């Protein structure tokens, strides 16, 4: 699909890369200085909705830059302009509701690196699209690096073909533990009451089962969630038949509060996990956040994370079906 839209012009950003001939991220800016206002942006998004959706799948990452997006209300208007259905976040990251469909991104300590993942990869229904808005850019660090998922699969198949096919055939099992209440001193500090929207254990179990997980209650009032089997790789419609590295093995394997193994209990070789982490980092792409930036990621095609940052940093998020 050739780029042709009078409502945007293509720009560049530091860190941008060509992947399979496509710019990541594709930077879209106002076509003229007097078209940077919210009214013009919303009209352009609504008018070119189908074209824009194709662009997100084609380029995987689109960065709207130079528009007058000031706050959560403006960001929510952008989210709603696309007309995509909302999908409620389920996962271990502590987050706060801000406005309508807008939430804070992971509120864990800025000094820590949030590892690469597809949003809600462990849940039966993951968001199709992830939108991020930079309200306060960090003075240093704090980038949101992302990784073309198919590239990880390609390189892992080159180096560990037998291990990849074994994991794909057997499937994966994960577990993680959560306290009852939120702990914002941890990147995975979201309590089970907030996660499942209830303090009733039986109701939490029902809601967890609907999401594809079993709960084991712990003496300290916390819970251990067990999920599986889950896929190692997946192929999604419209994405050139690419096998996406749609898992969180590296992020959860051998950690203090989480684990990852093959679904039959077979351990995943440590050298495979270690090398996979190196490949993911080697394939990563990142740009410096600027105030008002809105990044739109194809969650089926990209892993993303967060670099350590000096405060302040405020990035808001919306997840869509």
């Amino acid at each position: 699909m050739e780029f042709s839209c009078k409502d945007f012009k293509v720009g560049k950003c530091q860190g941008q890369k060509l992947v399979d001939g496509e710019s990541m991220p594709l930077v879209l800016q106002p076509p003229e200085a007097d078209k940077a206002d919210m009214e013009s942006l919303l009209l352009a998004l609504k008018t070119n909705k189908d074209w824009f959706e194709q662009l997100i799948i084609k380029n995987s990452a689109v960065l709207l830059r130079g528009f007058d997006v000031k706050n959560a209300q403006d960001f929510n208007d952008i989210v709603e302009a696309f007309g995509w259905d909302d999908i409620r976040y389920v996962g271990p990251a502590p987050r706060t509701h801000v406005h309508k469909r807008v939430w804070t991104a992971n509120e864990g300590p800025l000094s820590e690196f949030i590892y690469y993942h597809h949003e809600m990869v462990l849940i039966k229904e993951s968001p199709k699209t992830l939108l991020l808005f930079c309200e306060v850019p960090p003075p240093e660090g704090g980038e949101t690096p992302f990784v073309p998922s198919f590239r990880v699969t390609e390189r892992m198949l080159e180096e560990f073909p037998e291990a990849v096919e074994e994991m794909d055939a057997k499937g994966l099992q994960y577990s993680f533990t959560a306290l009852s209440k939120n702990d914002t001193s941890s990147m995975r500090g979201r309590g089970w009451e907030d996660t499942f929207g209830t303090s009733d254990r039986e109701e939490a179990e029902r809601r967890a089962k609907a999401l594809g997980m079993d709960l084991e209650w712990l003496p300290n009032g916390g819970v251990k969630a067990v999920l599986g089997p889950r896929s190692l790789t997946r192929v999604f419609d419209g994405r050139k038949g690419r096998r996406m590295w749609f898992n969180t093995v590296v992020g959860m394997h051998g950690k203090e509060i989480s684990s990852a193994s093959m679904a039959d209990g077979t351990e995943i070789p440590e050298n495979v996990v270690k090398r996979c982490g190196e490949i993911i980092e080697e394939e990563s792409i990142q740009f410096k956040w600027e105030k008002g930036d809105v990044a739109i990621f194809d969650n089926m095609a990209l892993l993303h994370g967060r670099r350590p940052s000096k405060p302040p940093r405020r990035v808001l998020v919306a997840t869509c079906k």
Side-chain angles (χ1 to χ4, degrees):
M1 182 180 71
E2 294 296 323
F3 183 90
S4 59
C5 181
K6 63 181 178 58
D7 295 313
F8 299 97
K9 72 174 182 181
V10 176
K12 294 183 178 181
C13 69
Q14 185 179 17
Q16 189 179 47
K17 291 184 181 179
L18 275 180
V19 179
D20 250 14
E22 305 296 348
S23 296
M24 291 191 187
L26 176 67
V27 181
L28 297 183
Q29 298 175 321
E32 301 168 14
D34 62 353
K35 296 292 186 180
D37 60 285
M38 278 297 299
E39 184 178 354
S40 296
L41 174 58
L42 294 175
L43 178 60
L45 294 177
K46 292 174 182 177
T47 303
N48 302 285
K49 181 177 179 292
D50 292 342
W51 171 84
F52 207 97
E53 288 180 349
Q54 294 178 49
L55 203 65
I56 294 168
I57 291 178
K58 175 175 173 284
N59 290 80
S60 299
V62 176
L63 178 63
L64 298 175
R65 171 165 285 180
F67 294 94
D68 192 23
V69 189
K70 294 189 177 71
N71 49 41
Q73 290 78 11
D74 289 346
F75 179 45
N76 186 79
D77 287 344
I78 291 171
V79 175
E80 294 190 342
F82 287 108
W84 300 323
D85 291 335
D86 188 36
I87 183 168
R88 186 178 188 274
Y89 172 74
V90 177
R95 292 182 171 180
T96 300
H97 182 242
V98 179
H99 176 74
K100 292 186 177 180
R101 296 176 61 173
V102 177
W103 294 70
T104 58
N106 191 319
E107 294 179 326
L110 289 175
S111 59
E112 297 185 34
F113 176 54
I114 297 176
Y115 197 72
Y116 301 98
H117 58 284
H118 290 272
E119 197 71 11
M120 290 168 56
V121 67
L122 300 181
I123 308 304
K124 285 184 176 179
E125 184 181 19
S126 304
K128 180 181 176 183
T129 309
L130 179 71
L131 297 94
L132 300 159
F133 161 58
C134 182
E135 188 172 33
V136 180
E140 183 178 321
E143 298 91 349
T144 300
F146 60 90
V147 178
S149 197
F150 79 95
R151 287 289 299 137
V152 183
T153 306
E154 288 180 347
R155 293 187 58 184
M156 288 295 289
L157 281 168
E158 290 171 1
E159 297 190 30
F160 303 100
E162 293 181 0
V164 170
E165 297 303 357
E166 182 183 9
M167 287 188 285
D168 232 356
K170 291 182 175 179
L172 303 170
Q173 177 172 285
Y174 302 96
S175 72
F176 66 88
T177 58
L179 299 174
S180 60
K181 304 295 183 183
N182 289 350
D183 175 15
T184 55
S185 68
S186 169
M187 296 182 302
R188 295 180 177 269
R190 192 181 190 196
W192 65 262
E193 294 183 16
D194 187 22
T195 297
F196 300 114
T198 181
S199 59
D200 181 88
R201 290 190 175 193
E202 290 186 1
E203 181 60 26
E205 289 176 0
R206 282 192 290 270
R207 295 180 183 184
K209 183 69 72 174
L211 294 167
M213 63 179 79
D214 295 313
L215 302 184
E216 300 174 8
W217 299 102
L218 304 176
N220 65 356
V223 69
K224 178 181 179 180
V226 181
L227 308 90
R230 294 290 191 271
S231 302
L232 179 80
T233 66
R234 290 185 63 181
V235 177
F236 298 99
D237 290 342
R239 292 160 181 84
K240 301 182 180 180
R242 292 166 168 168
R243 287 174 70 179
M244 304 300 182
W245 193 253
F246 208 72
N247 65 77
T248 183
V249 166
V250 178
M252 294 184 70
H253 181 271
K255 303 298 191 293
E256 183 179 352
I257 62 170
S258 67
S259 69
S261 67
M262 295 186 218
D264 67 352
T266 304
E267 286 297 320
I268 302 170
E270 183 65 39
N271 68 309
V272 173
V273 178
K274 182 176 184 295
R275 179 59 184 142
C276 182
E278 293 170 349
I279 288 171
I280 289 172
E281 186 58 52
E282 289 166 6
E283 293 292 333
S284 67
I285 301 167
Q286 67 183 33
F287 58 89
K288 292 285 187 183
W289 280 115
E290 294 184 6
K291 183 176 176 58
D293 279 352
V294 174
I296 306 171
F297 291 168
D298 178 0
N299 189 49
M300 306 290 98
L302 297 179
L303 303 117
H304 70 280
R306 187 196 73 190
R307 300 285 185 206
S309 167
K310 287 188 175 180
R313 177 189 189 271
R314 185 171 169 86
V315 174
L316 305 180
V317 62
T319 46
C320 303
K321 293 183 180 180

